[in-house]
Amino acid sequence: MSCTCVVGLQWGDEAKGKIVDLIGGDHDFVVRYNGGNNAGHTVVWGDRIFKLSLLPTGTLNPNVTSVIGNGVVVYPPQFLKEVDALAAGGISVGKNLAVSDHAHVIFPYHMAEESATEKTDSSIGTTGRGIGPCYQDKFGRTGGIRLGELLHPKHLRERLQSIVPRKNRVIRALAGDAGGVKEFDADQVCDEYLGYAERLRPHVQDTAYLLNDGLKAGKRILFEAAQGSLLDVDHGTYPYVTSSHSLPSGIWSGSGVPAKHLTRIIGVVKAYTTRVGRGPFPTELADGPEGIGERIRKIGREYGTVTGRPRRVGWFDAVASRYTAMLSGADEITVMLLDVLSGLDELRICVAYELDGQRRTTFPSDAFVLERCTPVYETLPGWKEDLTKVRKAADLPVAARKYVERISELIALPVSVVSVGPDRAQTIMLQGK
Ligand code: GDP
Ligand code: IMO
Ligand code: MG
């Protein structure tokens, strides 16, 4: 039995989508287990670019069954939009896409609730997709609606008639004097969602059985994490995190596949660090429009896939990635976007933090502590050469090879892949797959 997980070891956008696309074809299922359409996973095949927020990256491969597990929160219009966009691009999605009937549903009032909260002084800098409020309703139990419930019109209407008036009161209260909030009408919301339900129906099933039956039949599963481990609700930089378990610990609860089946965990890191939204970021390069941060942002096209926000950019943080490698149980790492660093005289890697005059190599995940940490850097020589056409490790400039080796040493894991461009072909396989 073979279950692999691809997980990001930073704050997201590590290029998980590229790795899932590269190895997805060796699996029978590709499964999302957390998050929703706050994710943005990009895959590039020559001149074709695919951006998926909700559907697993495996959906691009017709020989793979893609599964949206119960731990995901589903916004039906986004599901249908992505299915339609793939169909328009010649990728038809039918029986090879399954979505859990246990997955919770995002409604427009979740986005309104989030928008009102984000206008208060408790802003997280979210993607505005209603992710947090939907998970709040799931765990609060009284206000959550699961995808399976959409297939029962009378039941759905009754639930919405009970929930929507309450939501209207909550949103009004959150908005306070600012006002300007929209009132939701339960019947209108219900009619809209019953329309989506008809198109969703063929895909909805209890995917825990699908996956466990698959395992019994010897099928191979690839789990695709959304977000990065530093955004994990338990182990990330709380409260500046997302509302789900992006670490592989989310797999068991978010898919129904017991953790004992996991055989390989691939940790994905960028050769530097990025972060979108608020929260501490010790190695951030806030060095102005002529600075290295802006240069990396431009060359790496570091703008959010979902919201288009400029991503915050910084040096590689080995303290943070060693912490997430430990928590995720990663067996290996893939180092992505190495090409972006070409042309810099020197590169820095954060090897420790200083806090209150003390050096530490452990990661404090409380945001209020982390923001007081200053990075201790090691400086390495840079390289001038363009890496985007390199296909073998031996052809990398010595300084680039040494940089990757140092990351590997600091995280204490082997590097299996180095990526030197967005395209599938721009990949250097070092060992294994
Ligand atoms: P994900 O959320 O982890 O799947 O990552 P995103 O897709 O949001 O962000 C990664 C971005 O980097 C995408 O635009 C990819 O096309 C791009 N990318 C992936 N690998 C490389 C690489 O090695 N070099 C460069 N320059 N871009 C890359
Ligand atoms: P992928 O899968 C980067 C960030 C948001 C915000 C915080 C909470 O593409 O790596 P949320 O909308 O989830 O409540 O926002 O999490 N965030 C991401 N940052 N990549 C992502 O996904 C993200 N998903 C959420 O910017 O700081
Ligand atoms: Mg992304």
Side-chain angles (χ1 to χ4, degrees), residues 10 14 47 67 97 101 103 107 120 137 146 154 260 263 272 282 314 345 353 379 411:
Q10 294 158 321
E14 298 91 348
D47 56 5
V67 176
L97 175 61
D101 55 357
F107 286 90
T120 68
D137 280 344
R146 310 209 296 188
K154 185 167 170 288
K260 66 180 179 184
T263 46
Y272 47 95
D345 296 332
Y353 296 146
T379 303
I411 300 185

Side-chain angles (χ1 to χ4, degrees), residues 13-17 40-42 305 311 337 339-340 419-422:
D13 305 322
E14 298 91 348
K16 300 175 288 294
H41 299 174
T42 313
T305 315
R311 292 178 183 148
L337 292 103
D339 53 298
V340 174
S419 177
V420 290

Side-chain angles (χ1 to χ4, degrees), residues 285 287-296:
L285 278 158
D287 51 358
E290 303 301 321
I292 296 175
E294 187 54 34
R295 179 196 161 105
I296 292 177

Side-chain angles (χ1 to χ4, degrees), residues 11-14 16 38-41 114 124-129 131-132 225-228 231 240-243 275-278 309:
W11 276 285
D13 305 322
E14 298 91 348
K16 300 175 288 294
N38 47 349
H41 299 174
E114 182 168 323
I124 302 281
T126 68
T127 59
R129 298 300 187 265
I131 306 294
Q227 288 80 56
L231 292 172
Y240 300 102
V241 292
T242 192
S243 296
R275 163 159 219 178
V276 197
R278 295 184 58 201
R309 287 178 289 179

Side-chain angles (χ1 to χ4, degrees), residues 284-326:
E284 183 165 17
L285 278 158
D287 51 358
E290 303 301 321
I292 296 175
E294 187 54 34
R295 179 196 161 105
I296 292 177
R297 183 176 302 112
K298 276 211 187 93
I299 299 175
R301 299 205 186 100
E302 294 295 357
Y303 295 88
T305 315
V306 176
T307 58
R309 287 178 289 179
R311 292 178 183 148
R312 297 160 65 192
V313 172
W315 295 118
F316 188 82
D317 186 338
V319 180
S321 294
R322 192 167 46 226
Y323 166 71
T324 50
M326 170 186 82

